[in-house]
Amino acid sequence: MSTIKRILVTGGAGFLGSHLCERLVNEGHDVICLDNFFTSQKTNVQHLLELPNFELIRHDITVPIWLEVDEIYNFACPAAPGHYQYNPIKTIKTSVMGAINVLGMAKRCRAKVLQASTSEVYGDPEVHPQTESYRGSVNPIGPRACYDEGKRAAETLFVDYHRTNRVDVRIVRIFNTYGPRMHPFDGRVVSNFIRQALDGRDITIFGEGDQTRSFCYRDDLIEGIVRMMNNGEGFIGPVNIGNPGEFTIKQLAELVIELTGSSSKLVYRPLPADDPTRRCPDIALAQEKLAWNPTVPLRDGLEKTIAWFRSINISEYRPPTPNY
Ligand code: NAD
Ligand code: UDP
């Protein structure tokens, strides 16, 4: 049997999706990238367009589509708070209807389907570090709910299609991931701090800066995702994929200033509602089931990301929303 698979990546032109497409194309698979370009642009996959085993489809995943595939990575969903809160109803539709559409396709084609879930399913966690068995603390009516609850509902759909229709599913809970090709106007902390530092502008810390995040470099993340899809054990997850190194936001700001050699000053702004206080993955399950470990320390990953931000022409990027 051929080892070349027909693989659909929804959200394939985005930050993580475009790297995943690149990896799968390089492995020789036939890759279909589907995207509505809400938070991305064609240039992210331009280098793949001429290749015979890559295809790009402009499509909105809330609308069904008929394709024949062996595997689906479901990445379509705005991921940065400023992007997913811009049109919250569209965000939850993307997670829920998108899940229904890819699961229906997977059922028809007998394809394997992986859901890009998120650490946001844990909300503002009372358990630290977060294990997969922790059920989370999400405010269902807060500003982050459109994303958090949409991703939680998508997980429910994935396990129910698995239980009732025997669809071969995989669920990965992704923790904060960064790296080259992040959208420069996504408003996420890594892109904001790097751009502010490179421009010599004030670095905007929300709250006191003592909230924590754990930052995973994108290559480590993609490796974990592909291992999860390929695991032959029938292990469906959910599994945490993230880097357990935990940093306060203030520490991140200081590191970015050091690595850029910037003279930017720290300024403090109000903390957004429901901003999680601490976040750190327990990755014991990924270590055990996938033999996966992150390998890139924050300092090294930031150096690569800063070099990329220095290299791009910012005027070629369109802000996805007016609120960047
Ligand atoms: P991104 O915004 O760069 O990528 C999302 C892609 O989905 C974009 O190309 C966007 O245009 C596309 N998209 C959005 N709505 C769509 C729709 N209705 N139909 C078709 N395409 C649509 O974000 P990312 O960081 O690459 O995130 C990719 C996935 O990983 C998302 O599902 C996100 O929730 C998940 N995730 C990411 C992180 C992270 O730190 N980067 C953390 C947790 C989970
Ligand atoms: N943050 C910040 N300054 C910024 C952007 C974000 O202090 O300019 C904080 C934000 O309040 C949160 C953390 O950095 O506590 C991570 O924010 P991000 O939007 O990257 O992702 P989140 O993990 O909150 O979804």
Side-chain angles (χ1 to χ4, degrees):
M1 203 181 81
S2 166
T3 52
I4 296 177
K5 292 175 278 193
R6 294 161 302 175
I7 305 181
L8 170 65
V9 181
T10 76
F15 161 50
L16 295 177
S18 61
H19 287 289
L20 180 59
C21 285
E22 210 169 83
R23 157 104 184 226
L24 298 171
V25 162
N26 287 338
E27 287 176 358
H29 300 296
D30 271 329
V31 176
I32 304 171
C33 167
L34 178 156
D35 209 295
N36 72 350
F37 300 112
F38 171 40
T39 57
S40 60
Q41 48 194 58
K42 202 170 153 189
T43 49
N44 282 351
V45 289
Q46 198 165 13
H47 57 299
L48 303 175
L49 288 175
E50 295 304 314
L51 299 175
N53 59 335
F54 181 79
E55 198 178 339
L56 178 61
I57 301 175
R58 181 187 283 262
H59 181 80
D60 193 309
I61 200 58
T62 58
V63 177
I65 182 167
W66 192 275
L67 297 167
E68 308 299 330
V69 292
D70 303 308
E71 285 181 357
I72 305 167
Y73 290 86
N74 188 34
F75 275 57
C77 187
H83 293 169
Y84 67 67
Q85 289 170 20
Y86 174 67
N87 186 343
I89 297 167
K90 181 61 192 270
T91 298
I92 197 162
K93 273 188 178 173
T94 296
S95 279
V96 174
M97 294 164 70
I100 292 169
N101 290 333
V102 296
L103 285 161
M105 186 189 299
K107 183 181 167 192
R108 177 176 55 79
C109 299
R110 296 198 177 82
K112 210 192 262 189
V113 55
L114 180 146
Q115 167 67 359
S117 191
T118 168
S119 52
E120 283 285 318
V121 300
Y122 302 122
D124 190 4
E126 305 110 328
V127 167
H128 197 80
Q130 291 83 56
T131 53
E132 291 83 352
S133 58
Y134 173 54
R135 292 180 187 180
S137 166
V138 171
N139 175 2
I141 55 169
R144 299 174 84 103
C146 59
Y147 183 71
D148 301 8
E149 299 290 14
K151 290 284 189 181
R152 286 169 69 97
E155 287 198 10
T156 307
L157 284 160
F158 268 69
V159 290
D160 281 338
Y161 267 76
H162 177 68
R163 279 196 285 249
T164 61
N165 294 317
R166 296 193 302 281
V167 175
D168 195 357
V169 304
R170 302 284 187 271
I171 300 169
V172 174
R173 292 181 179 157
I174 302 171
F175 283 65
N176 294 61
T177 303
Y178 69 99
R181 232 182 269 153
M182 297 185 81
H183 200 296
F185 296 109
D186 68 9
R188 287 190 257 202
V189 69
V190 172
S191 30
N192 260 14
F193 285 3
I194 292 177
R195 286 192 47 232
Q196 288 164 343
L198 291 179
D199 295 350
R201 287 182 284 128
D202 290 343
I203 305 244
T204 53
I205 294 190
F206 298 163
E208 302 294 314
D210 49 10
Q211 71 272 37
T212 68
R213 292 295 186 273
S214 304
F215 298 99
C216 186
Y217 189 64
R218 58 117 217 259
D219 293 2
D220 283 336
L221 190 278
I222 297 298
E223 178 63 30
I225 297 276
V226 172
R227 282 189 191 210
M228 182 59 176
M229 179 65 108
N230 293 341
N231 95 78
E233 304 284 307
F235 166 60
I236 69 163
V239 64
N240 291 338
I241 300 285
N243 190 320
E246 188 181 359
F247 295 84
T248 67
I249 294 306
K250 190 160 179 223
Q251 283 173 326
L252 177 74
E254 284 161 352
L255 188 53
V256 168
I257 288 177
E258 179 200 323
L259 295 176
T260 51
S262 172
S263 55
S264 290
K265 301 277 172 288
L266 306 186
V267 295
Y268 293 84
R269 300 277 180 260
L271 190 66
D274 293 342
D275 199 282
T277 316
R278 291 186 77 183
R279 183 184 287 156
C280 178
D282 181 317
I283 59 165
L285 195 60
Q287 289 169 325
E288 180 203 327
K289 298 282 190 185
L290 310 174
W292 177 84
N293 270 299
T295 58
V296 182
L298 181 59
R299 175 177 284 272
D300 296 358
L302 279 179
E303 276 175 352
K304 292 181 188 168
T305 311
I306 290 166
W308 180 78
F309 271 95
R310 282 190 201 278
S311 75
I312 60 171
N313 179 355
I314 205 81
S315 67
E316 290 171 4
Y317 288 82
R318 177 181 58 85
T321 75
N323 314 324
Y324 62 92

